[in-house]
Amino acid sequence: MDLGSRKLLDRSFSAVGILSILLMTASLVVLLWPILLRGAGAFVFRATVEHRELMLEKFDRGDPETIALETAAAEAARAGAYEIINAFAEKLDEMDRERRREYRKEFREIEELVRELFGPRPGERQPVLMRDRYGQTRWDRALARIDRILYVENYDFSDRSAMGVVVRSPRVERFRGTALEPLFPLIATRAEEMLRPRLTFYPRFLTDESYDSHFFGGIWPEMLGTLYLAIGAMLFAVPFGIVAAIYLAEYAGEGRFVSLLRTCISSLAGVPSIVFGLFGLAFFINTIHVSGSKSVLAGSLTLALLVMPTVIRASEEAIRAVPVTYKEAAMSLGAGKWWTILTVILPASLPGILTSVIISMGRAAGETAPIIFTAAVSVGRPLGIHETLSQPTPALPWNIYNLATEHEAVDEIRHVQYGMVLTLVVMVLLLNLAAIIVRARISKKLRA
């Protein structure tokens, strides 16, 4: 190949490499930007006076006098709405049967929406569920409720060749000329006085427990459970994985059995994670009974099996990459094989081994399928370390899936879902960053 063709080929490869890096960066930005933007909504948002009441009553946070004044001002602003509703209810009883039937159903719907917006009226009995004791605690959710009060959505199916089209019509038109008509402009124009939204920073989203199925509170039990599972998996996977790697690299030699063994380990790395979950349930819980039912211990052991092939293969390659001269020099000075492995080969291969730990830790923290059957529950309290041997735990991956698909009020808690996703991403990055820093320090020490 002539020199000109070789240079052209090199430049082409360089261009393709740069293009690949740019595409990967753009993909990450597209992926992470919505997570960052919407996840931040769990920490920074416009909180209504209902949120401040909740914080005071449940967590004893905030100035009671200030909150009492705000609550009184909000109730004074809401009084006009309640008077209009009461006046219409009295008029409704005086209407003839046909008109009463026409208005009753929609009026009850409006009453329920107003109760969801402002919470129970003063003097009403407190509901059993916590979610019903307060109105909307976030301004964005309050705006969604106000929109439902002001507008009615119907579907237009006149075009039979297409899907139904949503048609929004002002609800005030249905009550034009009645005593309820002033309610709609009142709520539309004085909503801020009635709810008093204020920009709020809520860092305790990370450290508060959740209440009423994540309607309120934070995600501390899920964060703690994820840490327990990730660290527990590494406690089991790393020692056994490194010992297996040492055996394969230094003692096993070459042969059909060892080749078969390596093939099996590589194949295990490609087994779907749900299979590991079912195996963990069948073996750790139902066969050897490491715990009576789901537990952090059973989940950690299952995750350890999931990541162990990666640890073994990467560690073996790192050990094999240590120059033979290191081993020869140590043994020439009289060191035995095991002592040489312990004092020369393992320290020299530690950066490569830590790379496998970094990859495995991130995977263990983010896996969902293996912990569904062995460790995760939807709602739970933070566990003490001694309880991890026998108790299940909430965990971020499982709870993200649960809240996004099976929760009864998926749209109401979108901010919690995105907050969990953002927290999980940051946790994995921090765990990896910690391992990278340790690896860099060890490499620097070895070079010195």
Side-chain angles (χ1 to χ4, degrees):
M1 183 181 294
D2 60 77
L3 186 59
S5 300
R6 194 181 301 170
K7 284 183 177 178
L8 181 62
L9 200 57
D10 289 342
R11 287 172 183 171
S12 299
F13 274 119
S14 299
V16 170
I18 293 170
L19 183 63
S20 300
I21 291 171
L22 290 176
L23 283 175
M24 189 179 297
T25 305
S27 302
L28 281 174
V29 170
V30 170
L31 179 67
L32 293 178
W33 179 248
I35 293 175
L36 183 64
L37 191 65
R38 298 193 178 190
F43 301 91
V44 181
F45 55 95
R46 294 188 76 187
T48 65
V49 67
E50 301 289 334
H51 182 269
R52 294 188 279 282
E53 279 187 66
L54 168 70
M55 289 292 110
L56 179 64
E57 293 175 10
K58 199 68 189 175
F59 301 100
D60 196 24
R61 295 174 195 154
D63 181 16
E65 293 184 6
T66 305
I67 293 174
L69 288 174
E70 278 193 300
T71 304
E75 291 297 342
R78 296 172 190 179
Y82 293 143
E83 287 172 6
I84 293 171
I85 290 173
N86 292 338
F88 182 78
E90 291 174 5
K91 295 286 183 186
L92 193 64
D93 291 335
E94 297 170 3
M95 291 179 185
D96 58 65
R97 188 174 179 181
E98 189 175 343
R99 287 196 70 196
R100 194 163 56 237
R101 187 185 301 164
E102 177 187 349
Y103 287 124
R104 185 180 295 280
K105 183 179 178 183
E106 194 164 354
F107 176 59
R108 286 178 178 169
E109 184 184 349
I110 292 170
E111 278 190 308
E112 188 57 35
L113 287 170
V114 170
R115 187 171 287 105
E116 290 176 7
L117 180 63
F118 298 140
R121 291 190 192 188
E124 279 188 350
R125 190 173 62 179
Q126 285 293 312
V128 175
L129 289 177
M130 190 175 171
R131 74 192 70 169
D132 297 329
R133 294 179 197 168
Y134 301 92
Q136 297 303 307
T137 56
R138 296 172 59 95
W139 181 239
D140 54 345
R141 296 311 311 165
L143 290 177
R145 282 287 184 283
I146 291 170
D147 188 74
R148 287 185 61 193
I149 292 173
L150 298 181
Y151 294 94
V152 179
E153 287 188 356
N154 290 308
Y155 285 86
D156 178 11
F157 294 100
S158 57
D159 185 358
R160 295 179 179 275
S161 63
M163 300 289 287
V165 178
V166 177
V167 178
R168 286 162 53 86
S169 56
R171 201 187 288 268
V172 65
E173 297 300 333
R174 296 171 181 254
F175 292 91
R176 186 72 70 189
T178 69
L180 198 64
E181 183 183 346
L183 176 70
F184 304 99
L186 180 70
I187 290 180
T189 56
R190 300 190 61 190
E192 294 206 16
E193 290 179 58
M194 295 174 179
L195 290 160
R196 308 180 77 79
R198 186 195 302 167
L199 190 64
T200 301
F201 180 44
Y202 183 41
R204 294 191 180 183
F205 178 73
L206 296 177
T207 56
D208 281 343
E209 294 183 37
S210 67
Y211 290 91
D212 197 4
S213 301
H214 286 288
F215 274 93
F216 308 105
I219 58 171
W220 174 240
E222 288 76 13
M223 280 184 60
L224 191 62
T226 304
L227 283 173
Y228 280 149
L229 288 167
I231 294 173
M234 302 319 295
L235 286 177
F236 292 112
V238 172
F240 288 107
I242 292 175
V243 169
I246 292 171
Y247 170 77
L248 290 171
E250 295 295 328
Y251 291 95
E254 297 297 333
R256 290 185 178 178
F257 175 74
V258 175
S259 296
L260 179 64
L261 200 59
R262 288 198 178 96
T263 303
C264 291
I265 292 170
S266 299
S267 301
L268 275 176
V271 171
S273 57
I274 190 72
V275 176
F276 281 97
L278 290 169
F279 174 80
L281 172 66
F283 183 70
F284 293 122
I285 297 178
N286 293 339
T287 303
I288 65 174
H289 303 289
V290 296
S291 57
S293 61
K294 290 180 180 180
S295 68
V296 175
L297 177 61
S300 298
L301 287 168
T302 306
L303 287 170
L305 287 181
L306 179 75
V307 300
M308 200 178 293
T310 305
V311 176
I312 294 174
R313 295 297 294 156
S315 300
E316 184 186 354
E317 294 302 322
I319 291 170
R320 286 182 179 279
V322 176
V324 180
T325 51
Y326 284 27
K327 185 164 59 176
E328 291 175 345
M331 297 185 83
S332 69
L333 294 173
K337 189 169 186 178
W338 174 242
W339 189 249
T340 302
I341 291 171
L342 195 64
T343 58
V344 176
I345 295 179
L346 275 183
S349 60
L350 208 50
I353 293 173
L354 283 174
T355 301
S356 71
V357 173
I358 293 168
I359 297 169
S360 304
M361 191 182 293
R363 187 177 180 192
E367 278 291 342
T368 305
I371 62 175
I372 290 176
F373 302 104
T374 56
V377 288
S378 302
V379 178
R381 58 184 177 78
L383 297 182
I385 290 180
H386 64 284
E387 293 176 304
T388 57
L389 300 178
S390 59
Q391 299 295 319
T393 180
L396 286 173
W398 162 241
N399 280 80
I400 290 168
Y401 167 77
N402 183 261
L403 295 186
T405 58
E406 299 179 2
H407 198 280
E408 60 183 296
V410 172
D411 289 333
E412 298 290 327
I413 54 168
R414 288 288 184 206
H415 60 284
V416 181
Q417 299 160 18
Y418 279 102
M420 282 187 174
V421 172
L422 178 62
T423 305
L424 180 60
V425 170
V426 172
M427 276 182 66
V428 170
L429 290 177
L430 288 178
L431 287 172
N432 288 352
L433 182 64
I436 289 170
I437 290 173
V438 171
R439 183 184 64 181
R441 288 188 175 180
I442 291 174
S443 299
K444 186 177 179 182
K445 191 178 290 184
L446 288 175
R447 282 196 299 272

